Amino acid sequence: MDKKLTVAVVGATGAVGREMLKTLFDRNFPAAKVRAFASARSAGKKVPFGSETLIVEELKEDVFHGIDLAVFSAGGTTSLKFSPHAARAGCVVVDNSAAWRMDDRCPLVVPEVNPQHLEKHQGIIANPNCSTIQMVVALKPIHDAVKIKRIVVSTYQAVSGTGQKGVEELERQVRDLFNGREPENKVYPFRIAFNILPHIDVFLENDYTKEEMKMVNETVKIFDDPSVKVTATCARVPVFYGHSESVNVETENKMTAKEARILLSRSPGVSVYDNPRETMYPMPVPHAGEDPVFVGRIREDESVANGLNMWIVADNVRKGAALNAVQIAEKLLARDLVAVRDKNAFASD
Ligand code: A2P
């Protein structure tokens, strides 16, 4: 890792963008220069990078010359517009939005699960949905050992998944309620404070939400295995940071709960936190700000021959977004893949 890179964070004023800057700094990412970009509204603002401050620059189509690597977290529309310009300028993009995830030209990568998919990148690499990331980190070792046939997942997702505005909405509503004021809903269709919304992203033709279908389609792409069936229900809960998931898997071959605990405790990126007798199980509040995917409540599903239940928690802004993106960047560097081989792959986008 001796190449010193120029790295850009696009969406640097947002919740994930700020965490990306922090993660690059904390992990001592070998960058000679880090630049921060956001919309024209934020040009000239300051964002922290370790003990330094960076001046935010306006994102424009021609800024990418001389930048080796850009991590984007500025939403799908911005990514669709600007990532192809970056790739054409020879800048490798790791994008946190949903814009490129199902595009065949773009690997969808969780470094603990499918780093080999990076080898064929053409300039844009997609970071999966936060709920998918934490689930596949925990399930890949089980899939490799006993082959998962079906996954049934229900999520309990934090408001930071909606960005800074989600965090502010929950804060504002709690303050309003405690001060006897009627809370206003600006970001979510209903009050999120002291409530649960079984609705994340838009509803689709099949009555699932887009978030739920992301979990289905992204899991198959990451596992590279269409035989794995997935069904999901995604809910927004009044938690600031950390997504939780109740996950049931049915497997081809038997794995006991004890075997699963041993296997997962040896698996990369996973921390088994599971001792019911001592009321030890993962929760979002104590694990916010931590890197691993925490797995607890591991039990055999007694309603089927081969099945497991578990409870999976991770910081959605960290492993679910910024950390995974920076880990992708680290893997690209380690495999000498910080280069765009075909600058025309996104010529018509
Ligand atoms: P800005 O603060 O200038 O609007 P979050 O997900 O927390 O809402 O953050 C979204 C991030 O994406 C912010 O940094 C935001 O910048 C950035 N962003 C949104 N639209 C654009 C755009 N058109 N060009 C560049 N950055 C954008």
Side-chain angles (χ1 to χ4, degrees):
M1 279 214 204
D2 50 0
K3 192 180 173 204
K4 288 276 184 186
L5 305 173
T6 297
V7 176
V9 173
V10 175
T13 51
V16 172
R18 283 171 185 273
E19 191 68 26
M20 282 170 164
L21 285 167
K22 183 173 180 301
T23 309
L24 286 167
F25 184 83
D26 289 348
R27 293 173 72 88
N28 206 10
F29 190 83
K33 191 172 166 74
V34 176
R35 295 172 65 183
F37 292 93
S39 75
R41 295 181 289 278
S42 303
K45 277 191 189 163
K46 290 178 181 157
V47 285
F49 179 64
S51 55
E52 291 173 48
T53 45
L54 305 178
I55 307 290
V56 177
E57 302 172 63
E58 180 185 351
L59 183 66
K60 291 186 188 150
E61 292 173 356
D62 60 0
V63 299
F64 296 101
H65 293 278
I67 298 175
D68 301 288
L69 183 78
V71 282
F72 272 61
S73 189
T77 314
T78 306
S79 182
L80 279 175
K81 182 168 172 206
F82 290 96
S83 298
H85 288 282
R88 283 199 285 274
C91 167
V92 178
V93 172
V94 179
D95 178 46
N96 191 47
S97 80
W100 302 99
R101 289 183 191 149
M102 299 315 293
D103 190 310
D104 287 339
R105 295 167 295 178
C106 304
L108 182 65
V109 174
V110 179
E112 293 90 339
V113 178
N114 61 336
Q116 73 282 5
H117 289 182
L118 288 172
E119 297 289 339
K120 288 193 184 140
H121 87 76
Q122 298 181 55
I124 302 177
I125 295 129
N127 203 38
N129 175 264
C130 41
S131 299
T132 310
I133 292 176
Q134 66 185 74
M135 185 173 81
V136 298
V137 167
L139 295 189
K140 179 63 166 39
I142 297 173
H143 187 47
D144 287 345
V146 287
K147 190 158 179 15
I148 293 174
K149 293 199 296 191
R150 180 165 183 252
I151 303 169
V152 182
V153 52
S154 297
T155 70
Y156 306 68
Q157 300 183 214
V159 291
S160 50
T162 319
Q164 196 53 38
K165 56 188 182 296
V167 172
E168 285 162 14
E169 176 125 322
L170 177 57
E171 273 172 358
R172 195 181 53 247
Q173 290 183 349
V174 170
R175 228 181 298 117
D176 284 347
L177 285 163
F178 278 102
N179 285 288
R181 292 190 293 265
E182 188 57 33
E184 220 187 317
N185 316 316
K186 290 188 186 161
V187 176
Y188 301 111
F190 300 98
R191 195 180 97 189
I192 184 64
F194 310 105
N195 199 10
I196 297 178
L197 277 53
H199 172 187
I200 299 184
D201 210 331
V202 295
F203 282 98
L204 303 173
E205 274 290 291
N206 63 359
D207 290 346
Y208 282 81
T209 61
K210 203 166 172 187
E211 183 84 352
E212 289 160 351
M213 293 315 294
K214 283 178 201 167
M215 293 196 77
V216 174
N217 298 324
E218 293 180 18
T219 301
V220 169
K221 181 168 175 180
I222 294 165
F223 280 177
D224 199 9
D225 187 349
S227 75
V228 179
K229 305 297 173 207
V230 186
T231 187
T233 302
C234 294
R236 184 77 65 195
V237 296
V239 165
F240 285 109
Y241 296 95
H243 289 355
S244 304
E245 296 176 346
S246 162
V247 177
N248 174 270
V249 292
E250 198 178 341
T251 58
E252 192 92 43
N253 300 308
K254 176 85 184 164
M255 178 176 278
T256 65
K258 193 174 168 202
E259 286 166 345
R261 271 184 215 111
I262 293 168
L263 175 70
L264 291 177
S265 64
R266 293 180 185 147
S267 300
V270 180
S271 178
V272 174
Y273 199 77
D274 190 19
N275 188 348
R277 268 152 226 89
E278 297 188 14
T279 50
M280 184 183 178
Y281 38 73
M283 290 181 288
V285 169
H287 297 313
E290 295 193 41
D291 288 349
V293 170
F294 293 88
V295 185
R297 302 296 324 278
I298 301 171
R299 290 149 291 153
E300 280 149 55
D301 175 353
E302 295 173 351
S303 71
V304 290
N306 303 326
L308 291 167
N309 282 309
M310 66 197 80
W311 179 252
I312 302 173
V313 175
D315 185 324
N316 54 301
V317 177
R318 237 180 133 70
K319 182 57 187 166
L323 174 62
N324 199 71
V326 172
Q327 286 172 323
I328 290 174
E330 289 170 351
K331 277 273 184 280
L332 287 168
L333 204 53
R335 292 177 175 228
D336 201 16
L337 292 168
V338 186
V340 181
R341 279 183 220 111
D342 174 10
K343 292 185 183 163
N344 291 319
F346 298 92
S348 52
D349 287 273

